[in-house]
Amino acid sequence: MEHRKRFQYREYFISTLNQTLVIEGPIPPERLREMTLDGTLDAFRKPRDQHEALVEIAGLPEGRIIAAHLKGHIVGYVTFHYPDEYERWSEGNMQDLVELGAIEVADHYRGCGLGKQLIMTAFAEGQLDNVIVYTTEYYWHWDLEGSGLNVWDYRKMMEKLMQSVDMIWYATDDPEICAHPANCLMVKIGPEVPLSSVELFDRVRFRNRFMY
């Protein structure tokens, strides 16, 4: 399985802050280790622990980190990696199924279109055309308080973000996703993915065959 890592570099000017950020990746682990992580990037774990997790993901054959930074200080990132072995999505042992695991933007930089820039950079040059990319959106991970949005508006925002790279809503009988109607599964099937992989992914999505 070829995991294409075609390095991207772009500058992104934020007029409201009068700042130019660098958006780049996939970033190698040795470079990530030299960078710093903004203290407000704490949605999943403490920033120091999250920094270590990003370095670890970057070192995986399939792993990739795209980051937005200001002189090496990371203010936003998106991660890609294989599904956790304890999750349903690993059951097919698919080499061409990759999870968009996390996307996070520092508090001061929210509302600047940074999330969209990160994801578009990740998909640039067709480097994910030979895999199925999926993401699981759970409302309990969303910063409803900080954003001031209700659960449905936040979901619309996340759907719009994922749709910027043609990820679309897919049905599933996964109990965690079905636990709340705002949760959802978003997927993009690359144009080079074989039909056999698409069919296997469908079997993973639905354990109850009568729903498939």
Side-chain angles (χ1 to χ4, degrees):
M1 176 67 201
E2 177 194 7
H3 292 288
R4 304 165 181 163
K5 297 187 179 183
R6 299 168 178 166
F7 181 76
Q8 307 293 313
Y9 178 98
R10 63 181 66 180
E11 295 183 353
Y12 183 57
F13 179 67
I14 302 175
S15 58
T16 55
L17 300 175
N18 195 30
Q19 288 184 354
T20 299
L21 301 180
V22 169
I23 301 175
E24 60 179 300
I27 303 177
E30 57 273 12
R31 177 131 189 278
L32 267 176
R33 192 174 292 280
E34 296 174 352
M35 303 172 84
T36 57
L37 199 67
D38 193 86
T40 64
L41 295 172
D42 58 358
F44 301 97
R45 51 179 68 88
K46 293 180 179 179
R48 182 175 63 180
D49 295 334
Q50 184 65 6
H51 190 190
E52 287 300 314
L54 296 182
V55 172
E56 182 178 348
I57 291 169
L60 299 173
E62 83 289 354
R64 62 185 70 218
I65 303 295
I66 312 298
H69 65 89
L70 185 65
K71 298 180 180 179
H73 182 68
I74 297 173
V75 297
Y77 65 84
V78 59
T79 71
F80 294 82
H81 48 75
Y82 279 145
D84 188 282
E85 61 179 328
Y86 300 108
E87 294 181 343
R88 162 189 289 221
W89 312 105
S90 68
E91 291 177 2
N93 195 28
M94 299 176 63
Q95 297 300 300
D96 52 1
L97 178 63
V98 174
E99 179 180 7
L100 192 168
I103 181 166
E104 190 175 10
V105 174
D107 291 355
H108 193 52
Y109 292 87
R110 293 183 181 178
C112 299
L114 199 51
K116 180 179 179 180
Q117 293 296 319
L118 286 164
I119 291 182
M120 291 179 66
T121 302
F123 281 83
E125 287 193 45
Q127 55 187 305
L128 292 167
D129 280 359
N130 63 341
V131 297
I132 299 173
V133 178
Y134 79 96
T135 186
T136 50
E137 293 297 332
Y138 303 118
Y139 83 93
W140 48 81
H141 285 162
W142 299 340
D143 183 15
L144 300 177
E145 182 178 353
S147 67
L149 299 175
N150 63 43
V151 67
W152 299 110
D153 287 339
Y154 205 105
R155 171 171 165 166
K156 288 178 183 177
M157 179 182 71
M158 294 305 297
E159 284 186 327
K160 184 177 180 181
L161 174 61
M162 300 305 167
Q163 287 167 356
S164 67
V165 289
D166 299 323
M167 296 186 76
I168 61 174
W169 176 89
Y170 267 60
T172 179
D173 63 3
D174 177 70
E176 280 198 279
I177 292 178
C178 295
H180 192 281
N183 296 343
C184 66
L185 171 69
M186 302 285 289
V187 180
K188 180 176 183 179
I189 298 175
E192 300 173 28
V193 174
L195 179 60
S196 58
S197 292
V198 177
E199 292 174 341
L200 179 53
F201 180 60
D202 286 340
R203 292 196 292 273
V204 172
R205 285 195 296 132
F206 291 103
R207 283 181 178 162
N208 298 312
R209 293 295 176 259
F210 69 88
M211 295 181 64
Y212 171 42

